[in-house]
Amino acid sequence: MSTLDLSLPMLQLNFEASPLAVVQIKPSEPIPPALLEAITQSSEFLSITRTRFETSVVLPWEECESAFAQVKEGKEVSGPWIALKIRGPMEFSLSGILHELTRPLKAAKVPIFAISTWDTDYVLIDAKNEAAARRALTEAGWQFAATS
């Protein structure tokens, strides 16, 4: 049972419309120019995380497909993913939100890729698992925002 008040508007969920790709690049490699161009042209979802172990780039699937044809060697691509967004904005003082969100997904055996921003959290779900994720989250008390 969730200890969060899942009826709070900031905790409403929605699936973003555009499918996404996750690209892994070795830490010793720069981001390839074709992928960099797709990144700079993107007006949709974009996340770049670089550590000493890897660089992960999340961008729209369509933009990745066209750019990636030129840069496949030595890179891993996964997708299409669908982004599940917590409405937000959320205060930094809140805790346990990702835990509460991912617990029913774990029980439903839905793998995730999590990304946090200043205002909110996103959980990427393999597009083929969208219905199972929606069902599991609804059963756990999460509410989806009405779409217009």
Side-chain angles (χ1 to χ4, degrees):
M1 183 55 91
S2 176
T3 58
L4 293 174
D5 180 357
L6 297 180
S7 68
L8 293 172
M10 72 176 169
L11 295 179
Q12 287 184 334
L13 305 174
N14 72 290
F15 283 102
E16 299 289 294
S18 299
L20 301 170
V22 179
V23 180
Q24 182 189 47
I25 302 170
K26 293 177 184 172
S28 59
E29 292 184 30
I31 297 175
L35 195 53
L36 207 63
E37 185 173 332
I39 289 167
T40 59
Q41 301 295 319
S42 181
S43 61
E44 299 288 325
F45 194 101
L46 172 65
S47 177
I48 302 170
T49 304
R50 184 173 209 119
T51 70
R52 63 185 175 133
F53 304 107
E54 67 175 313
T55 300
S56 295
V57 180
V58 180
L59 72 162
W61 180 256
E62 192 173 283
E63 293 174 25
C64 180
E65 277 189 312
S66 59
F68 205 72
Q70 304 170 44
V71 297
K72 279 186 181 176
E73 196 167 318
K75 309 327 164 273
E76 294 288 331
V77 174
S78 180
W81 295 79
I82 190 91
L84 176 65
K85 178 187 178 200
I86 301 173
R87 182 177 183 181
M90 298 181 295
E91 297 291 325
F92 284 149
S93 62
L94 294 174
S95 65
I97 294 173
L98 270 178
H99 171 76
E100 290 296 328
L101 182 66
T102 58
R103 193 172 40 83
L105 298 174
K106 178 184 177 193
K109 297 183 174 25
V110 174
I112 62 135
F113 185 97
I115 299 174
S116 293
T117 66
W118 185 277
D119 283 340
T120 194
D121 296 315
Y122 294 82
V123 173
L124 277 53
I125 296 167
D126 191 307
K128 69 182 178 228
N129 293 325
E130 181 179 350
R134 182 181 295 270
R135 188 171 43 256
L137 291 166
T138 300
E139 289 172 4
W142 287 88
Q143 298 176 14
F144 285 82
T147 56
S148 48

